[in-house]
C-alpha cells in the first residue's frame, strides 16, 4: 500500500512538472464580444507552448488595437493570461484574455498552467527630471511635447493610461482652419475673422475673445505644422457636426489616431536623454516650491514617481465628461434642465475624462472657469454614448424621429441639435444616409475611417434598398418618411432657400437624397466635451482668480476653459489642442 502511494505521488509530481503536457499542438479559434465589435482570436500552440496569437477585430486604432498588440506579446513572452489589463482599454483587454483562455481550453489546458502570476513588480521609488514635465499624453500633451522638444527642452510625459493619445485617438479628427489651400481649391472663401466670429457666436458670446482670436489666427499654421511632420490631409474639406462652416480638415487616414501617430513618430526621433514617457502613471500632486510649480508626484501601480521640472509643468489631462458625479454637480448652464446622470453616456475614454487635472491645478492656485459649459453631442450610440458607425458630421444626412418626421435644422450647432433630440419621443432618433455618402460600401469613409461593409457586419447599421423598405426597418409610415425627406430635398435642389427648420443648402456637398441604398442607425445624445476648466491666458499660462500667472504652470486642450464658451463648434477641439499645445510647449521650454 505504501509503495503504491509513493508511485502515485511520483506520477502526479511528474505531470505537474511538465506544465504543458496536456496541451495539444495546433490552431484554436474563438469569437468573443469586444468593445466595438466581436473579436475573433486564434491561438497557435507549438511544442506545448503559445507560439502565436492573431486577432481579427474592429477595435479603435491607438486604443483597443494597442491593447491587443501589447497583451498578445506579453502572453507569448510570459506564457500566462494572468496579466493586468491595459488602462483605458479595459474591455478589449478583458475580451482578449478571455478569448485566449477559451482557445487554451480547446487545446486541452487544465488548471493553472497558463494562469501563473508574473513576479512581483519592483516598487522602488523613481526620481527623474527634465526641463518640462507634461501631465497627460493625449493630443494636447503630445503637441506640447513636440513643441517643447523643438524649442530645445528635455521632456517627461506622465500618462495614466497604458498608451499615448488619450481620447484624441477616438475623436473624428476634424481640424477647423481658415483660408487654407484645400478650401481655396474648392472655391470656399474663408478667413480667421470669420472663424473668430462664428466661434464666438456658436459659444453664445461668453468665450474669452482674446483666446478665440489666438485659436482662429493660429489654426492655419497649426495645420501646416502638422503637414511639416508628414501628416496628410484629405483634400475634401468638410463640416463637422455643428461646425457652422465648411472649414473642417480631416487627416488621411481619417480619425484622431492619425495625429497621434504623427506626433509619436516625432518623439521617437529624440533619445531617452531628451524625452521619457511614464505610462500607467497617475499624477497625484503638483510639487510647489516658493510659490512656483516645480514638478509632479505620480503613482505607477504603487510605485511612487517624483518628476522634477526645471522650467515648467504643462497640464493636458482632458475634460471631465465621464465623471458623472462632478458633471451633475456643475451642470447649471446650457443643460441645467436636463439630467446628465449615468443614463447619458460619454464619447470619450472613461478613465481619461475624470477631471483630475482640474484638481491638481486648483490646489496650485489656478482658477477654474466655465465648468457648467458642458457639450452634449447628438451622435451617441445607445447604451454606451460612444460615437460609432455612421456619423452626424458632414452633410447629406437626416435626423428622423420615431414618428418618421424631420425635427431640426441638420446644419445647426451641436447644442441646438441635441436639445431637439431630447425633445423627441424617447430622446432618440434615426440617423439616415444614402448612396450619396456611401457610393462604395468597400471604400473607407472620410469621416468614420471605416467601410460601410464593416459597419453593416456589426449590425448596428441597417440597409434598405428603397424608402418603403427603410420605413419598415424603423417602423414608420412610408408616406410620412417620404414627405420628410422631400422637405429636405426641396432645399437641396434650391427650389426653396430654407425650410421650416431653417436648413439652407450652403455646403458644396449638398445634394438631394433620392437614390438607394439607404443606411440607418439609431442615435442618442452623449456627453462629448467639457468647455470649462483651467483659466489660461493667451500664452497658455495658468492664472489665478486675479489674472496673475501661476509660476511654472501651463495648460492646454480640453482641461482649459474660456475658449469655446457655452458650446464648442465641431472641428475646434483639434484646432484648440494643436494651437495651444504648441504655445504651452514653447513657452514652458523657454521659461526661466
Amino acid at each position: 500500500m505504501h509503495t503504491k502511494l509513493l508511485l502515485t505521488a511520483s506520477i502526479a509530481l511528474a505531470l505537474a512538472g511538465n506544465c504543458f503536457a496536456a496541451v495539444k499542438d495546433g490552431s484554436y479559434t474563438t469569437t468573443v464580444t469586444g468593445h466595438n465589435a466581436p473579436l475573433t482570436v486564434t491561438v497557435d500552440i507549438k511544442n506545448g507552448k503559445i507560439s502565436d496569437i492573431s486577432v481579427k477585430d474592429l477595435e479603435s486604432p491607438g486604443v483597443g488595437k494597442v491593447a491587443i498588440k501589447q497583451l498578445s506579446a506579453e502572453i507569448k513572452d510570459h506564457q500566462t493570461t494572468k496579466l493586468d489589463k491595459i488602462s483605458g482599454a479595459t474591455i478589449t483587454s478583458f475580451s482578449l484574455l478571455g478569448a485566449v483562455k477559451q482557445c487554451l481550453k480547446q487545446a486541452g489546458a487544465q488548471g493553472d498552467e497558463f494562469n501563473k502570476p508574473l513576479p512581483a513588480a519592483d516598487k522602488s521609488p523613481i526620481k527623474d527630471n527634465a526641463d518640462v514635465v507634461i501631465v497627460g499624453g493625449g493630443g494636447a500633451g503630445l503637441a506640447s511635447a513636440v513643441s517643447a522638444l523643438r524649442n530645445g527642452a528635455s521632456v517627461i510625459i506622465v500618462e495614466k493610461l497604458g498608451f499615448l493619445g488619450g481620447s484624441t485617438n477616438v475623436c473624428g479628427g476634424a481640424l477647423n482652419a481658415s483660408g487654407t489651400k484645400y478650401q481655396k481649391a474648392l472655391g470656399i472663401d474663408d478667413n480667421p475673422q470669420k472663424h473668430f466670429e462664428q466661434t464666438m457666436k456658436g459659444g453664445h458670446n461668453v468665450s474669452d475673445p482674446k483666446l478665440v482670436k489666438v485659436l482662429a489666427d493660429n489654426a492655419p499654421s497649426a495645420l501646416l505644422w502638422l503637414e511639416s511632420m508628414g501628416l496628410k490631409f484629405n483634400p475634401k474639406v468638410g463640416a463637422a457636426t455643428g461646425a457652422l462652416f465648411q472649414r473642417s480638415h480631416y487627416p488621411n487616414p481619417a480619425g484622431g489616431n492619425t495625429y497621434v501617430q504623427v506626433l509619436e513618430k516625432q518623439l521617437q526621433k529624440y533619445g531617452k536623454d531628451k524625452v521619457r514617457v511614464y505610462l500607467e502613471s497617475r499624477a497625484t500632486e503638483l510639487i510647489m516650491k516658493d510659490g512656483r510649480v516645480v514638478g509632479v508626484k505620480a503613482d505607477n501601480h504603487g510605485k511612487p514617481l517624483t518628476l522634477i521640472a526645471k522650467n515648467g509643468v504643462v497640464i493636458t489631462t482632458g475634460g471631465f465628461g465621464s465623471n458623472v458625479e462632478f458633471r451633475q454637480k456643475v451642470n447649471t448652464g446650457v443643460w441645467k434642465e436636463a439630467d446628465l446622470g449615468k443614463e447619458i453616456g460619454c464619447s470619450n475614454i472613461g478613465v481619461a475624462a475624470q477631471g483630475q487635472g482640474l484638481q491638481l491645478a486648483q490646489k496650485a492656485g489656478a482658477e477654474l472657469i466655465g465648468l457648467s459649459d458642458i457639450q452634449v453631442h447628438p451622435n451617441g450610440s445607445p447604451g454606451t454614448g460612444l460615437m460609432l458607425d455612421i456619423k452626424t458630421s458632414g452633410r447629406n444626412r437626416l435626423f428622423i424621429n420615431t414618428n418618421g418626421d424631420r425635427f431640426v435644422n441638420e446644419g445647426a450647432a451641436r447644442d441646438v441639435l441635441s436639445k431637439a433630440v431630447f425633445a423627441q419621443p424617447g430622446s432618440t432618433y434615426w440617423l439616415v444616409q444614402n448612396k450619396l455618402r456611401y457610393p462604395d460600401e468597400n471604400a473607407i469613409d472620410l469621416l468614420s475611417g471605416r467601410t460601410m461593409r464593416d459597419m453593416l457586419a456589426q449590425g448596428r447599421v441597417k440597409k434598405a434598398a428603397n424608402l418603403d423598405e427603410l420605413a419598415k426597418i424603423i417602423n414608420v409610415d412610408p408616406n410620412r418618411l417620404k414627405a420628410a425627406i422631400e422637405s429636405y430635398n426641396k432645399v437641396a435642389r434650391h427650389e426653396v432657400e430654407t425650410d421650416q427648420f431653417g436648413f439652407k443648402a450652403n455646403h458644396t456637398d449638398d445634394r438631394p437624397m433620392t437614390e438607394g441604398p439607404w443606411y440607418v442607425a439609431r442615435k442618442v445624445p452623449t456627453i462629448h466635451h467639457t468647455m470649462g476648466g483651467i483659466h489660461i491666458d493667451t500664452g497658455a499660462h495658468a492664472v489665478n482668480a486675479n489674472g496673475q500667472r501661476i509660476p511654472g504652470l501651463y495648460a492646454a486642450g480640453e482641461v482649459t476653459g474660456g475658449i469655446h464658451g457655452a458650446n464648442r463648434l465641431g472641428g475646434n477641439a483639434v484646432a484648440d489642442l494643436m494651437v495651444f499645445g504648441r504655445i504651452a510647449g514653447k513657452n514652458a521650454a523657454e521659461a526661466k
Side-chain angles (χ1 to χ4, degrees):
M1 180 74 107
H2 183 67
T3 304
K4 184 176 180 181
L5 286 172
L6 286 174
L7 180 61
T8 302
S10 297
I11 293 172
L13 285 170
L15 288 174
N18 184 6
C19 65
F20 303 111
V23 180
K24 297 178 181 179
D25 288 0
S27 293
Y28 303 90
T29 300
T30 190
T31 299
V32 296
T33 301
H35 186 281
N36 294 352
L39 306 179
T40 298
V41 179
T42 300
V43 176
D44 293 337
I45 305 294
K46 186 176 181 180
N47 298 325
K49 294 186 177 182
I50 300 170
S51 62
D52 193 30
I53 300 171
S54 59
V55 184
K56 293 182 179 179
D57 70 280
L58 291 172
E59 301 299 88
S60 301
V63 185
K65 288 187 182 296
V66 170
I68 289 170
K69 182 178 180 180
Q70 289 184 10
L71 284 177
S72 295
E74 288 186 36
I75 292 169
K76 287 186 291 182
D77 288 346
H78 302 289
Q79 295 293 305
T80 183
T81 57
K82 197 173 185 64
L83 299 169
D84 289 335
K85 299 172 182 64
I86 305 299
S87 297
T90 304
I91 295 175
T92 303
S93 301
F94 180 84
S95 298
L96 176 65
L97 292 170
V100 172
K101 290 177 183 178
Q102 290 183 30
C103 290
L104 292 171
K105 188 174 182 180
Q106 293 175 27
Q110 300 175 10
D112 293 331
E113 60 262 50
F114 289 101
N115 196 38
K116 294 182 178 180
L118 297 178
D122 180 11
K123 300 295 185 182
S124 301
I126 289 179
K127 292 185 178 180
D128 201 354
N129 65 85
D131 295 326
V132 179
V133 175
I134 297 171
V135 184
L142 291 175
S144 296
V146 172
S147 179
L149 287 163
R150 286 190 165 192
N151 283 279
S154 58
V155 171
I156 289 174
I157 300 174
V158 56
E159 168 57 60
K160 68 178 178 179
L161 303 184
F163 48 86
L164 291 173
S167 292
T168 301
N169 280 308
V170 296
C171 81
L175 188 162
N176 283 351
S178 61
T180 67
K181 61 184 178 183
Y182 302 105
Q183 287 180 311
K184 291 174 182 176
L186 296 171
I188 300 168
D189 182 20
D190 195 15
N191 57 64
Q193 180 61 26
K194 188 182 295 185
H195 188 181
F196 167 84
E197 291 172 356
Q198 290 178 334
T199 298
M200 289 298 299
K201 180 181 178 181
H204 301 180
N205 291 308
V206 296
S207 306
D208 182 337
K210 293 180 181 178
L211 295 178
V212 176
K213 181 170 175 52
V214 171
L215 175 74
D217 287 351
N218 289 276
S221 61
L223 185 150
L224 294 174
W225 184 65
L226 290 163
E227 285 188 318
S228 74
M229 302 179 206
L231 190 139
K232 305 294 184 184
F233 282 97
N234 194 304
K236 184 178 180 181
V237 182
T241 306
L244 300 186
F245 196 77
Q246 194 174 349
R247 64 170 64 94
S248 302
H249 298 72
Y250 290 86
N252 188 11
N257 178 250
T258 299
Y259 298 108
V260 174
Q261 290 186 43
V262 167
L263 292 169
E264 278 195 89
K265 286 180 180 177
Q266 292 298 306
L267 296 185
Q268 292 164 8
K269 293 181 178 181
Y270 297 85
K272 288 187 177 180
D273 61 322
K274 293 294 290 184
V275 59
R276 290 176 296 285
V277 178
Y278 293 92
L279 298 175
E280 300 278 356
S281 300
R282 180 176 61 87
T284 58
E285 182 184 346
L286 295 181
I287 303 171
M288 305 290 293
K289 183 178 181 181
D290 299 328
R292 182 181 182 87
V293 177
V294 296
V296 178
K297 289 184 179 181
D299 177 83
N300 179 279
H301 299 291
K303 179 197 288 289
L305 308 177
T306 301
L307 309 171
I308 301 301
K310 178 182 177 182
N311 294 2
V313 171
V314 184
I315 297 181
T316 54
T317 52
F320 57 87
S322 285
N323 190 330
V324 177
E325 182 180 357
F326 186 70
R327 77 191 190 201
Q328 285 182 301
K329 178 181 178 180
V330 300
N331 182 29
T332 59
V334 173
W335 299 101
K336 61 184 178 183
E337 297 175 358
D339 181 4
L340 300 185
K342 62 182 179 180
E343 298 303 316
I344 302 294
C346 181
S347 64
N348 297 318
I349 296 173
V351 69
Q354 296 296 322
Q356 291 165 335
L358 302 179
Q359 300 167 12
L360 295 175
Q362 189 174 41
K363 288 180 180 178
E367 182 184 24
L368 304 183
I369 61 173
L371 295 180
S372 65
D373 295 328
I374 298 170
Q375 180 159 85
V376 179
H377 197 294
N379 192 37
S381 295
T384 65
L386 299 172
M387 300 207 301
L388 304 172
D389 311 315
I390 57 177
K391 303 289 188 180
T392 55
S393 297
R395 305 292 272 204
N396 305 317
R397 79 281 189 268
L398 300 176
F399 287 38
I400 302 292
N401 67 17
T402 53
N403 295 326
D405 300 321
R406 285 177 63 225
F407 58 89
V408 69
N409 167 13
E410 287 87 352
R414 288 175 175 177
D415 55 344
V416 174
L417 294 170
S418 295
K419 285 192 173 186
V421 175
F422 275 126
Q424 301 312 301
S427 296
T428 186
Y429 71 103
W430 297 99
L431 182 63
V432 175
Q433 299 175 0
N434 75 332
K435 189 176 180 178
L436 274 175
R437 285 285 289 263
Y438 295 94
D440 180 358
E441 291 184 355
N442 296 309
I444 295 177
D445 176 42
L446 164 66
L447 300 178
S448 68
R450 301 169 61 204
T451 69
M452 175 53 68
R453 180 192 64 228
D454 288 337
M455 288 188 273
L456 290 171
Q458 290 175 248
R460 289 186 296 265
V461 179
K462 303 296 183 183
K463 177 181 178 179
N466 52 55
L467 289 178
D468 288 311
E469 189 174 319
L470 178 62
K472 288 182 180 179
I473 291 174
I474 64 176
N475 193 30
V476 299
D477 180 347
N479 292 324
R480 195 164 182 165
L481 176 62
K482 291 174 184 177
I485 294 176
E486 177 58 19
S487 70
Y488 174 92
N489 286 341
K490 284 183 178 180
V491 182
R493 289 193 295 262
H494 299 287
E495 293 177 9
V496 295
E497 183 179 357
T498 185
D499 65 10
Q500 66 186 99
F501 305 109
F503 175 71
K504 293 182 179 181
N506 55 8
H507 191 291
T508 59
D509 283 346
D510 287 328
R511 301 285 188 279
M513 296 174 63
T514 58
E515 185 179 358
W518 296 83
Y519 305 99
V520 63
R522 195 163 71 85
K523 298 286 184 178
V524 295
T526 184
I527 304 296
H528 185 51
H529 196 98
T530 48
M531 283 79 71
I534 301 169
H535 191 178
I536 61 171
D537 63 15
T538 56
H541 304 88
V543 301
N544 62 22
N546 295 320
Q548 300 168 323
R549 294 175 178 177
I550 309 296
L553 187 60
Y554 305 80
E558 191 178 352
V559 76
T560 66
I563 298 171
H564 305 290
N567 175 67
R568 177 175 65 79
L569 298 190
N572 269 0
V574 175
D576 172 13
L577 64 87
M578 293 302 169
V579 167
F580 284 94
R582 286 181 72 194
I583 292 172
K586 181 178 186 297
N587 286 342
E590 296 178 346
K592 302 297 182 183

